[in-house]
Amino acid sequence: MKQQASQTAFPDTRIEITAGTVQSETVTDENGTRDVLTNLGARRYFVDIIEGNGSRASIWDGDSRRAALAQAQILSPDFGEVRDLTGEAA
């Protein structure tokens, strides 16, 4: 899925949607760092903003590709083209 924004608030940026399977997860709080086992093996989707210099800012993550696409569409007027790199059919 690609959408070209003609005029964005942040030129030289784009949005990428990626996905992966959780291999490990930890949480750190006032009690220290510990493993989280509840999401192991889960498929997660990520919406990132990529700047012209290649730096990446993670904006959203969740377990739904449809929700990731919706979030990317909300961001596209400000941050430009949406690239769905999940390899999944629409």
Side-chain angles (χ1 to χ4, degrees), residues 7-27:
Q7 189 73 5
T8 63
F10 300 94
D12 299 324
T13 61
R14 69 180 183 276
I15 301 163
E16 289 184 354
I17 302 170
T18 57
T21 302
V22 177
Q23 301 293 314
S24 67
E25 183 177 7
T26 60
V27 64

Side-chain angles (χ1 to χ4, degrees), residues 8 15 20 39 47-49 66:
T8 63
I15 301 163
N39 291 321
V47 176
D48 296 341
I49 294 176
R66 181 174 293 180

Side-chain angles (χ1 to χ4, degrees), residues 1-15 47 49 69-82:
M1 165 186 190
K2 285 190 173 185
Q3 174 181 340
Q4 187 67 30
S6 58
Q7 189 73 5
T8 63
F10 300 94
D12 299 324
T13 61
R14 69 180 183 276
I15 301 163
V47 176
I49 294 176
L69 290 167
Q71 185 62 45
Q73 290 302 314
I74 291 168
L75 295 167
S76 68
D78 289 330
F79 296 101
E81 176 185 9
V82 175

